[in-house]
Amino acid sequence: MASSLSLLPLFLFSLSFLVSSSSSSSSSSSSSSSTTTPSTDVLLGNEELEGVGLELYEEFLRDEAVSRLNELGKVSDVDGYLERTFMSPASVKAASVIRQWMEDAGLRTWVDHMGNVHGRVDGMNASAPALLIGSHLDTVVDAGKFDGALGIISAISAVKVLKVINKLEMLKRPIEIIAFSDEEGVRFQSTFLGSAAISGILPASSLNISDKRGKTLKDVLHENSVEATEETLLQLKYQPHSIWGYVEVHIEQGPVLELAGLPLGVVKGIAGQTRLKGN
Ligand SMILES: *[C@@H]1O[C@H](CO)[C@@H](O)[C@H](O)[C@H]1NC(C)=O
Ligand SMILES: *[C@@H]1O[C@H](CO)[C@@H](O)[C@H](O)[C@H]1NC(C)=O
């Protein structure tokens, strides 16, 4: 718990690093052609972040974020432990709670045809490539409350701070938070349904995979008022040129940082996940 608490201010720090890593667009600097960082590479200029009070770290990045982590950690399909699988009643409830928090942070929200929850603010240029931030809202069976939830909630808290200091409209590019509907693959034994759809790599045949009760992905979406077809799947794809970058805060999956007493690490590689069925 203690290490997760200290992660939240660090996340704002990293966001503000993105925000203030260049001041090439500030009025004081002339638009010299020698600058290597184009002005569109920053979210806000240095001057726009001046005077951001530390009290916001405590109120939104610590207290509110922690209370939301605890709240989401109770949204479960079973009594006694945490379990939220793709499109289960608890997942649908979690999606709606997350959507309200996104709106509270000043984001325009929608749920797409794979159950991913999106919250977006356009800033000054709606067509500039967007910074995506997010994590997954589903869980493994008997999950910890930080897995996935931390990445969603810390992103919402960081954006909320920008809203509270009236900077959302001054962003130089859109920020979009995405709470992915399925990363763990517990229900359909098929990981990343949510992000694979957004990457455009989810095959249409996935609509036919079934859970252990014999319900197909298509059936489950139908029960949630989504008529999924190959067509609707294709429409979920984000074009690479519309994305500037992706950031995700995630709980450590191993003991390395904890043993070293470090609150934060930056990953150098990402493991691919595959599920194989043996007969
Ligand atoms: C907005 O972003 C688009 C895409 O990057 C760019 O072509 C356009 O020049 C930008 N508009 C302004 C006003 O900066
Ligand atoms: C799903 O299964 C049905 C019935 O077996 C089949 O007709 C259909 O082509 C399959 N769809 C995809 C996208 O694989």
Side-chain angles (χ1 to χ4, degrees), residues 20-43:
S20 60
S21 57
S22 163
S23 59
S24 58
S25 70
S26 73
S27 49
S28 56
S29 68
S30 58
S31 48
S32 109
S33 56
S34 67
T35 175
T36 49
T37 314
S39 61
T40 47
D41 271 11
V42 291
L43 296 169

Side-chain angles (χ1 to χ4, degrees), residues 36 68 73 88 102 137 140 176 237 273:
T36 49
R68 286 174 172 182
S88 69
M102 286 174 169
L137 68 84
V140 292
E176 183 169 325
K237 178 179 176 169
Q273 214 188 126

Side-chain angles (χ1 to χ4, degrees), residues 40 125 127-129:
T40 47
N125 186 352
S127 56

Side-chain angles (χ1 to χ4, degrees), residues 203-209 216 218 229-230 233:
S205 56
S206 310
L207 294 172
N208 275 350
I209 56 176
T216 66
K218 198 180 165 97
T229 62
E230 188 166 355
L233 256 192

Side-chain angles (χ1 to χ4, degrees), residues 11 15 18 43 98 102 105-112 116-123 125-135 151-152 154-156 158-159 162 168 171-180 194 198-199 235-239 242-248:
F11 182 54
L15 253 198
L18 277 174
L43 296 169
I98 289 165
M102 286 174 169
L107 300 172
R108 166 171 59 82
T109 65
W110 68 98
V111 179
D112 72 26
N116 300 307
V117 185
H118 303 248
R120 185 173 174 112
V121 56
D122 287 335
N125 186 352
S127 56
L131 172 64
L132 307 185
I133 318 174
S135 198
I152 298 167
S154 58
I156 294 173
V159 170
L162 294 176
L168 276 190
L171 293 169
K172 291 177 178 155
R173 60 180 64 259
I175 294 182
E176 183 169 325
I177 300 177
I178 308 178
F180 293 104
I198 285 180
S199 312
Q235 283 165 4
L236 293 179
K237 178 179 176 169
Y238 276 38
Q239 296 304 326
S242 69
I243 300 170
W244 182 60
Y246 176 80
V247 189
E248 172 161 353

